[in-house]
Amino acid sequence: MIKLNVNKLASPIMDYLSDGECHTLKEIREFCCTKFNISDEEKKQLLSSGVPIVNNRVSWALTYLKKAGLIEYPKRGVYNITSRGKESIKNGTEHINVEYLQQFEEFNAFINASKSKEKSENISDIINDESPDEQIQKAISKLNSSLADELMTEITRISPYDFERLVVRLLIKMGYGSPNFNDKAVTKKSGDEGIDGIVTADRFGFDTVYVQAKQWNKDKSVGRPEIQKFLGALAGQGATKGLFITTANFSKEAKEFANKNLQSKIVLVDGDELCNLMIEYDLGVSTVEIYKVKRIDTDYFNDEF
């Protein structure tokens, strides 16, 4: 995990800009990566928005320093130190951190508008190892985790046959075929020969996916024998693609067996992944609030007014 935050980045960034020259955002990022020995693998770690975590944290550190008035950007993507910044580093840069920035009214106003004329007493609750983008991402993850628990409770209450129908509806939402092709996707309650559902793999119905849906207790584990039975059912249908979905978990042996290079490809989806997919594809859930996160439109400012 990348261990960079404002406290760690503020001092070296100020030290880097102490030469009084203008430096590009790219140069500052490269300096920080070298300073903290950030590996190529760490540089590739992304937020859910697709922005590299390292870039995001360096950008926020620059934002905090600018809000405190220690640096400025005279033009897009370029930074240099201000007169206040030069005054701040007369005795070195080691002391420059979040606590130090709190002495500046502009910084506190940025952190907490309602306390613009006093220091934020809970600054550690606002700024930690994660950038605001990451904190939003983590908050959404927590909300979805709680929602997934509620979903699982509801899923276990419906009948096994309705669970099979729910699974097929999810697959249709995910783009497997279409409602017209899959209107009879759920097999009969009896005599299904180990197959609970059949969906087309594409909108034109060129290929078929056979589904096994097991509504088991979340604490139980689907073992290898169940997967072997499903493989036998697929063979009986002459099928090459199988999807085994359960509200429970899969044993290590079951996963290993499914991952073998078998004649039929079997994909396993456990209860956690099932709930996550339902949330992602809006099945059984509804949107209560939408928050828009915006960033500067650089193309706009490059055009002539």
Side-chain angles (χ1 to χ4, degrees):
M1 185 64 182
I2 299 173
K3 296 181 179 180
L4 290 181
N5 56 28
V6 177
N7 275 331
K8 291 182 178 180
L9 288 166
S11 174
I13 287 176
M14 289 300 295
D15 188 54
Y16 184 64
L17 296 176
S18 64
D19 60 5
E21 301 294 327
C22 289
H23 293 278
T24 65
L25 177 58
K26 181 180 178 181
E27 291 172 342
I28 297 171
R29 285 172 178 168
E30 290 176 349
F31 166 77
C32 290
C33 286
T34 301
K35 175 74 175 180
F36 293 98
N37 298 313
I38 302 298
S39 66
D40 290 338
E41 196 63 33
E42 289 175 318
K43 292 177 184 178
K44 296 177 182 177
Q45 294 179 20
L46 306 176
L47 296 173
S48 60
S49 60
V51 177
I53 294 177
V54 171
N55 293 359
N56 179 261
R57 293 188 180 180
V58 170
S59 293
W60 274 106
L62 289 167
T63 296
Y64 291 137
L65 290 171
K66 179 183 179 298
K67 291 298 181 180
L70 303 189
I71 65 174
E72 62 182 356
Y73 47 86
K75 59 182 179 178
R76 182 167 61 88
V78 175
Y79 296 82
N80 64 5
I81 195 169
T82 63
S83 57
R84 177 185 286 182
K86 291 177 181 178
E87 186 68 26
S88 297
I89 64 172
K90 279 186 175 180
N91 297 318
T93 62
E94 296 80 6
H95 63 287
I96 298 179
N97 53 28
V98 172
E99 184 178 0
Y100 179 81
L101 299 181
Q102 284 183 266
Q103 69 180 286
F104 302 110
E105 182 177 327
E106 303 95 322
F107 177 75
N108 290 313
F110 168 67
I111 294 301
N112 191 339
S114 64
K115 295 182 179 181
S116 60
K117 294 185 178 181
E118 58 181 284
K119 294 183 180 181
S120 175
E121 297 177 355
N122 299 313
I123 194 72
S124 60
D125 294 333
I126 302 172
I127 302 175
N128 51 30
D129 283 348
E130 299 162 338
S131 69
D133 303 73
E134 293 171 281
Q135 292 175 45
I136 291 174
Q137 184 175 309
K138 179 174 285 188
I140 292 173
S141 179
K142 287 181 179 179
L143 288 171
N144 283 343
S145 178
S146 176
L147 176 58
D149 288 339
E150 294 180 47
L151 264 178
M152 182 56 67
T153 299
E154 296 300 324
I155 292 171
T156 55
R157 288 175 178 172
I158 63 178
S159 71
Y161 185 64
D162 284 338
F163 175 64
E164 294 170 8
R165 292 171 60 82
L166 179 147
V167 166
V168 171
R169 285 170 182 163
L170 172 61
L171 294 175
I172 293 172
K173 272 186 167 285
M174 292 175 67
Y176 286 84
S178 69
N180 291 334
F181 282 127
N182 295 318
D183 57 352
K184 296 181 181 179
V186 180
T187 58
K188 295 179 180 179
K189 294 184 181 180
S190 61
D192 59 13
E193 300 179 342
I195 302 298
D196 296 325
I198 303 171
V199 293
T200 54
D202 55 72
R203 295 190 64 84
F204 298 103
F206 285 125
D207 206 350
T208 304
V209 177
Y210 289 78
V211 182
Q212 176 70 272
K214 290 291 185 184
Q215 187 189 34
W216 286 10
N217 188 297
K218 192 178 187 303
D219 296 329
K220 287 188 176 181
S221 182
V222 177
R224 173 171 172 163
E226 292 292 333
I227 308 303
Q228 287 177 310
K229 290 178 184 177
F230 183 45
L231 178 62
L234 293 176
Q237 299 288 337
T240 59
K241 293 183 175 70
L243 181 63
F244 197 116
I245 298 183
T246 180
T247 50
N249 300 299
F250 292 100
S251 69
K252 178 182 178 182
E253 293 74 20
K255 294 177 182 178
E256 291 176 348
F257 182 76
N259 288 331
K260 285 183 177 179
N261 187 19
L262 304 170
Q263 185 175 357
S264 297
K265 173 65 176 178
I266 299 177
V267 174
L268 306 182
V269 175
D270 62 17
D272 290 338
E273 187 175 358
L274 170 61
C275 290
N276 289 335
L277 288 171
M278 289 179 65
I279 293 171
E280 180 179 352
Y281 289 93
D282 292 321
L283 181 65
V285 300
S286 59
T287 301
V288 295
E289 191 66 78
I290 296 176
Y291 298 96
K292 292 183 178 181
V293 178
K294 301 182 181 181
R295 59 169 53 92
I296 196 74
D297 181 356
T298 54
D299 291 334
Y300 174 83
F301 292 99
N302 285 331
D303 294 334
E304 291 185 4
F305 288 92

